[in-house]
Amino acid sequence: MTVLADDPTSAAVLAAMPCYPIPLHGRSPGLDALRVARAGQGVAVGHDGVMLILRRPWLALDVRVAPPIAAYLPYGSVGEPKADLRCGFIPRVYLMSVLDHFRAALPNEAAAFIVWNEKTGEFAVNFPVIEDATPSRLVYRIPTLPPDWHMVCDIHSHGRGSAYFSATDDADDAHATKIALVFGRLDHPDRPAMASRLCDSGMVLPLPRSPFSGGADAA
Ligand SMILES: [Zn+2]
């Protein structure tokens, strides 16, 4: 029988997206290395489901991508899902500055990015170059980040409109790993409306909690 890793086709597929059977006791050197990797991805197969394991300098994500397999597998458990911010919670002052910027842009839509430096641990707000902005449409350039900086949050406003992810937003978010936030009703006297999600590999996941420090809500 051919050993899987000696089969060039299987080896190429596994190199693109490694697949780890989970031992009964839950750990293996390969899985342990992926879990602590600075950046990497793979799928772990257990008797109780399939977990996508994604690591970015700022994010540690374990998310179930398939239900339990209805067959006997001599495998262990995939464990609990998680979505941990390795960069820590984002100081709320950055959110306040983004919302001030969005209100100043009314009635037009606007955008901002919260970026994080993995060497220094500092956050910063990046306001992109806007090519066209109206109350219902926004065209802007995604910033090219210097080395060590990572986009954590991609935030845009719907001006006075409601907060939701449009079909255009879905297309924009399909190929990035980031937290996406939309704010609406920015003319409202109290807090604006917000929609949030975590994007990865074409998946969109609910955010388990606000990425900002302090308070249970994001705004
Ligand atoms: Zn939108």
Side-chain angles (χ1 to χ4, degrees):
M1 181 177 135
T2 308
V3 175
L4 193 57
D6 292 340
D7 165 8
T9 306
S10 297
V13 174
L14 283 172
M17 176 62 88
C19 181
Y20 302 86
I22 300 174
L24 279 175
H25 59 82
R27 296 180 58 177
S28 69
L31 263 175
D32 288 351
L34 175 60
R35 289 186 186 282
V36 299
R38 174 184 167 276
Q41 60 193 12
V43 287
V45 184
H47 68 78
D48 54 353
V50 177
M51 190 83 94
L52 173 68
I53 298 175
L54 179 90
R55 295 294 180 264
R56 294 289 178 265
W58 61 275
L59 178 71
L61 181 70
D62 291 1
V63 60
R64 284 177 193 262
V65 290
I69 295 168
Y72 171 73
L73 294 174
Y75 296 168
S77 168
V78 294
E80 291 303 309
K82 70 173 180 180
D84 291 345
L85 288 177
R86 288 170 150 180
C87 58
F89 291 113
I90 303 163
R92 185 158 291 256
V93 63
Y94 293 102
L95 174 62
M96 295 304 137
S97 110
V98 168
L99 291 176
D100 285 347
H101 177 80
F102 286 176
R103 288 191 182 102
L106 282 174
N108 291 338
E109 296 192 353
F113 303 99
I114 294 177
V115 295
W116 176 74
N117 186 303
E118 71 171 290
K119 286 283 191 317
T120 65
E122 68 186 308
F123 288 94
V125 178
N126 180 311
F127 296 111
V129 176
I130 302 293
E131 295 183 341
D132 187 25
T134 74
S136 61
R137 181 166 177 270
L138 184 70
V139 181
Y140 55 91
R141 283 190 226 150
I142 304 281
T144 307
L145 298 177
D148 303 328
W149 286 92
H150 303 279
M151 184 192 295
V152 175
C153 273
D154 178 340
I155 314 175
H156 71 279
S157 91
H158 282 180
R160 294 176 178 137
S162 53
Y164 67 98
F165 291 99
S166 67
T168 307
D169 297 335
D170 288 347
D172 289 347
D173 288 350
H175 303 292
T177 300
K178 64 187 179 186
I179 292 167
L181 303 174
V182 183
F183 286 94
R185 289 195 359 237
L186 283 152
D187 56 336
H188 223 256
D190 38 73
R191 69 177 49 152
M194 188 196 77
S196 66
R197 65 188 183 183
L198 179 62
C199 308
D200 171 60
S201 317
M203 293 187 304
V204 291
L205 308 163
L207 272 189
R209 62 148 286 166
S210 161
F212 299 99
S213 62
D217 57 336

